[in-house]
Amino acid sequence: MKRRPILLCTAIASALLMAGCSSIGGGSSSAGALAPALSARMDQPNATLDSVQAINLVNAYRTTQNMPPLTADAGLNGTAQALASQYAQTNNAPTKPQGLGQMKLSAGYSSFAETFSGWRNNAADAIGLAAPGTKAGVAVAFNPASSFGTYWVFVIGN
């Protein structure tokens, strides 16, 4: 049925619009724009990822897949950071640790919005974003001397 992709695109566009219009601290964003934290460039030293905003974007997608939201988890953020740092230093994809429900990897994208879009548009990665779980962690590591510069890890657990 051809309506499903149109409905999915409409739902994701609506979720992105809501994410772009909401902000912490009462500020506002222009209509249709992503929250600044999601489009912030991470391909530079000392860049800081807003993991809560990143997980909220994944949760907006999960809603379109009839999956419950994930809660940002400090322990899983630490796991994701260790994996992202390893990935950036070795240029080799890390192995998923025991006990994690899902792990998504990416390299070369400068912002979380770009990374998420890449995952969402790849069938296998999109399924992984909607995997069962209750908690999530996300991290990025930057290594200007590496092949891809930025390395992303998103993990889902219970």
Side-chain angles (χ1 to χ4, degrees):
M1 180 176 212
K2 299 244 183 221
R3 290 192 64 173
R4 183 166 170 84
I6 292 169
L7 292 173
L8 177 61
C9 289
T10 302
I12 291 172
S14 297
L16 290 174
L17 179 60
M18 288 187 295
C21 292
S22 66
S23 64
I24 298 173
S28 65
S29 300
S30 61
L34 284 174
L38 298 174
S39 57
R41 295 186 65 100
M42 298 290 121
D43 58 349
Q44 52 197 331
N46 303 316
T48 304
L49 174 66
D50 185 332
S51 63
V52 172
Q53 287 290 325
I55 292 169
N56 285 344
L57 182 59
V58 172
N59 282 336
Y61 172 75
R62 288 173 64 85
T63 298
T64 69
Q65 303 300 303
N66 298 317
M67 292 301 292
L70 301 166
T71 302
D73 181 80
L76 288 177
N77 276 341
T79 297
Q81 189 61 65
L83 292 166
S85 295
Q86 173 191 343
Y87 195 11
Q89 292 306 311
T90 65
N91 219 28
N92 293 312
T95 303
K96 182 178 86 169
Q98 293 270 353
L100 285 181
Q102 190 64 236
M103 179 174 77
K104 297 283 101 202
L105 304 173
S106 189
Y109 292 112
S110 64
S111 71
F112 185 76
E114 292 172 349
T115 303
F116 170 76
S117 183
W119 287 331
R120 183 196 63 219
N121 292 324
N122 176 289
D125 288 332
I127 289 169
L129 291 173
T134 59
K135 300 184 286 187
V138 61
V140 61
F142 174 65
N143 180 354
S146 67
S147 297
F148 296 103
T150 52
Y151 296 80
W152 298 89
V153 176
F154 182 81
V155 295
I156 297 175
N158 288 310

